[in-house]
Amino acid sequence: PAAYDLTELQRDANKKYGYSAKQTLSLMQSLYETHKLLTYPRTDSRYITKDVVATLPERLRAIAVGPYKDAANAVLRTKPLSTKYIVNDAKVTDHHAIIPTEQYVDLNKLSREERHIYDLVVRRFLAVLSAPFEYDEVQVTVSFGNRNFYTKGKTVKAMGWKAMYDSSPGDEDDDGDDLSSQQLPAMTQGAPVFARDIKVTTGKTKPPARYTEATLLTAM
């Protein structure tokens, strides 16, 4: 994923914590002005410029505490840093993406709500600098009697940046259908499978979900 701009951060904070856009901006202002832990919040860019790259190691060392220590040190050991997903001068206007500053963080000095916003930004920052998520996209046809059954999904080869999140491999930034995002075991062509259970389910199509603040921000 790209780094955060304000709208994307507000969207994720609403989805994960139920924070309003106004509340997220207020928390960001505190983390920027009072704690000086995150960069300028009112940005519409999700990239940084080349001149910021030299500061990335110091920013990584500043966040190498608590739950982020191992991931930050792992990224620091990567030489050179993989910056192709975050550096783009052409896509930066007045201010670059929201990223951590070089200020050392004491997590105990943050409120619960500030911790939530800080956690979102730091995990995204580390994810952008981490290795790619690698998987095989698998389409499966199973013959059972005179019937064919179909499914599709992913067989994970390397978790990469998704290791920064506690979700399953198909959860982060996956807005596709459930089948394409489900995780499948390793398979080989022609291997036998066994039907342990058979169920028939009926259902009705559902109307689109009502707008939430997160989906409104996405639509806007």
Side-chain angles (χ1 to χ4, degrees):
Y4 276 125
D5 62 6
L6 178 59
T7 301
E8 184 74 3
L9 179 61
Q10 288 170 323
R11 186 183 79 115
D12 281 4
N14 181 262
K15 284 169 58 180
K16 188 165 185 178
Y17 301 114
Y19 296 162
S20 68
K22 182 178 180 181
Q23 185 177 7
T24 298
L25 177 57
S26 176
L27 292 166
M28 265 298 308
Q29 286 290 147
S30 175
L31 289 163
Y32 167 64
E33 294 177 349
T34 305
H35 299 288
K36 305 188 184 308
L37 296 176
L38 299 180
T39 56
Y40 186 74
R42 296 175 185 267
T43 177
D44 60 358
S45 175
R46 303 185 67 185
Y47 298 88
I48 62 174
T49 51
K50 291 177 182 176
D51 60 311
V52 181
V53 173
T55 70
L56 293 181
E58 191 62 31
R59 295 173 195 266
L60 286 163
R61 282 189 281 270
I63 63 173
V65 298
Y68 321 114
K69 183 177 180 179
D70 291 344
N73 287 333
V75 174
L76 275 168
R77 287 194 294 269
T78 306
K79 305 292 183 185
L81 285 179
S82 177
T83 57
K84 62 180 178 179
Y85 299 112
I86 194 173
V87 177
N88 191 327
D89 286 38
K91 292 188 177 182
V92 177
T93 51
D94 294 336
H95 301 280
H96 61 64
I98 298 171
I99 59 174
T101 65
E102 297 99 319
Q103 177 71 36
Y104 170 79
V105 56
D106 182 351
L107 296 175
N108 294 321
K109 291 185 178 180
L110 302 182
S111 69
R112 178 173 175 270
E113 292 78 11
E114 289 169 339
R115 276 287 304 269
H116 287 161
I117 299 302
Y118 184 77
D119 183 77
L120 285 173
V121 174
V122 169
R123 287 185 186 276
R124 179 59 64 90
F125 177 65
L126 289 168
V128 175
L129 296 173
S130 296
F133 170 55
E134 297 181 20
Y135 62 92
D136 288 328
E137 193 168 274
V138 183
Q139 296 184 10
V140 182
T141 302
V142 177
S143 298
F144 187 75
N146 60 351
R147 302 282 184 178
N148 289 331
F149 297 88
Y150 305 92
T151 193
K152 58 184 176 179
K154 296 173 181 175
T155 299
V156 177
K157 298 171 69 178
M159 285 298 292
W161 65 267
K162 291 208 176 197
M164 281 309 308
Y165 297 92
D166 296 329
S167 55
S168 63
D171 286 349
E172 278 302 318
D173 282 4
D174 228 327
D175 296 324
D177 60 85
D178 291 338
L179 281 181
S180 62
S181 63
Q182 71 176 337
Q183 187 175 356
L184 296 176
M187 298 182 182
T188 56
Q189 184 112 8
V193 295
F194 302 94
R196 294 192 176 131
D197 190 23
I198 296 174
K199 293 185 292 186
V200 177
T201 58
T202 59
K204 295 180 179 179
T205 58
K206 294 188 294 185
R210 293 179 182 272
Y211 275 116
T212 65
E213 191 153 350
T215 56
L216 272 174
L217 285 165
T218 301
M220 291 164 65

